[in-house]
Amino acid sequence: MATDYSDQQAELRRLAAERDAVILAHNYQRPEVQDAADFVGDSLELARKAAATPQSVILFCGVHFMAETAHILSPQKTVLMPDPRAGCPMANMVTAEGLRALKAQHPDAVVVAYVNTTAAVKAETDVCCTSSNAVEVVQRFAKDQPIIFVPDKNLGDWVERQTGRKMILWDGFCPVHADIKAADIEARKSEYPEAKVMAHPECPRAVVDLADVVTSTSGMLRYPAGDAASAYIVATETGLLHRLNQMYPDRRFVAASLRSVCPNMKLTTLDTAITALVEGLNEITVPPQIRERAARAVARMIE
Ligand code: 13P
Ligand code: SF4
């Protein structure tokens, strides 16, 4: 029998109203957390919301770089995380020091950083991007402008192929998406021959090449609305299936791989969210000297 979360959800909603808090949740969060949030979205949508909401507190149900980005955009707000251990291994694959060393080797290059980076790396960056606007951001630069792209080599490879230009790629990757293999897609396709394949650009090239559409998490939530397939193979973190099933109850959505679970995204629970609000725990702040430099790159991304 499905667990009934309604009491905890009601308690979280009550506390949020009492503490003037908005609850933002990423598309990979646990279903019961998504259902209690004010807004659920992809990285770009959540950054925009964080900047625009009137509440003085943001309870960020996601991972650390997302909460940092919220504070970079709204330093006057209190940004809380339910579980401070929720980091992103890909974001930790590039350090400010490492990026400075690469910039020294390519002094003419601009730096485009995926939003999955620490604030210190964003401070060394010219413009940030997310999976939903990376191609557009790179296209804004002159054709002969050298570009350093950090940290995701798979997203970088996708952007290179979409834009037809070479970049200097960092060797980072998302362990969850990198683990999705072409063989997983082939196996699902033989089970569901009628299904279309939706893939996140953090997936390896062999997976992306088998996809009918390559897009961000919210791009995948929108895609079936304009498409007639009865089934979809979904190559991303399995948390996305919750809203796909809610939004399109008459279609079938199957995970490309059941291994695609981001342990960091799943650290947030209704209990830790409630405790964070009650006790004002795990406030995420970015020091002003880093924040001011990072804010320029994040503001360009939002524009
Ligand atoms: P988007 O929601 O922007 O597609 O990002 C996916 C992701 O891996 C966030 O950690
Ligand atoms: Fe980071 Fe990948 Fe988890 Fe997203 S799914 S938070 S990129 S490890």
Side-chain angles (χ1 to χ4, degrees), residues 77-220:
K77 295 179 188 169
T78 302
V79 181
L80 304 176
M81 273 185 82
D83 192 320
R85 295 170 303 167
C88 169
M90 167 156 63
N92 296 332
M93 287 179 192
V94 56
T95 60
E97 211 182 12
L99 178 54
R100 277 198 295 271
L102 187 62
K103 282 164 70 171
Q105 285 172 35
H106 303 278
D108 298 338
V110 293
V111 179
V112 177
Y114 194 21
V115 72
N116 297 40
T117 42
T118 61
V121 165
K122 289 184 176 79
E124 298 290 336
T125 290
D126 294 288
V127 55
C128 289
C129 69
T130 71
S131 56
S132 70
N133 69 0
V135 169
E136 245 178 286
V137 166
V138 167
Q139 273 166 342
R140 291 284 175 100
F141 290 102
K143 278 246 179 301
D144 56 350
Q145 170 63 58
I147 297 175
I148 293 173
F149 188 90
V150 297
D152 188 2
K153 63 179 174 188
N154 289 317
L155 177 63
D157 178 58
W158 165 249
V159 172
E160 282 191 338
R161 293 199 290 152
Q162 292 303 296
T163 59
R165 52 191 295 170
K166 279 302 283 171
M167 301 190 293
I168 302 145
L169 299 184
W170 195 264
D171 193 21
F173 59 92
C174 162
V176 177
H177 288 86
D179 180 56
I180 305 176
K181 308 290 183 221
D184 295 315
I185 308 288
E186 304 284 16
R188 286 289 189 239
K189 276 186 147 180
S190 61
E191 281 174 85
Y192 303 98
E194 75 287 10
K196 280 199 172 169
V197 179
M198 302 196 287
H200 196 277
E202 288 175 16
C203 293
R205 184 190 278 211
V207 168
V208 160
D209 283 348
L210 293 172
D212 296 283
V213 58
V214 180
T215 183
S216 75
T217 53
S218 287
M220 289 188 227

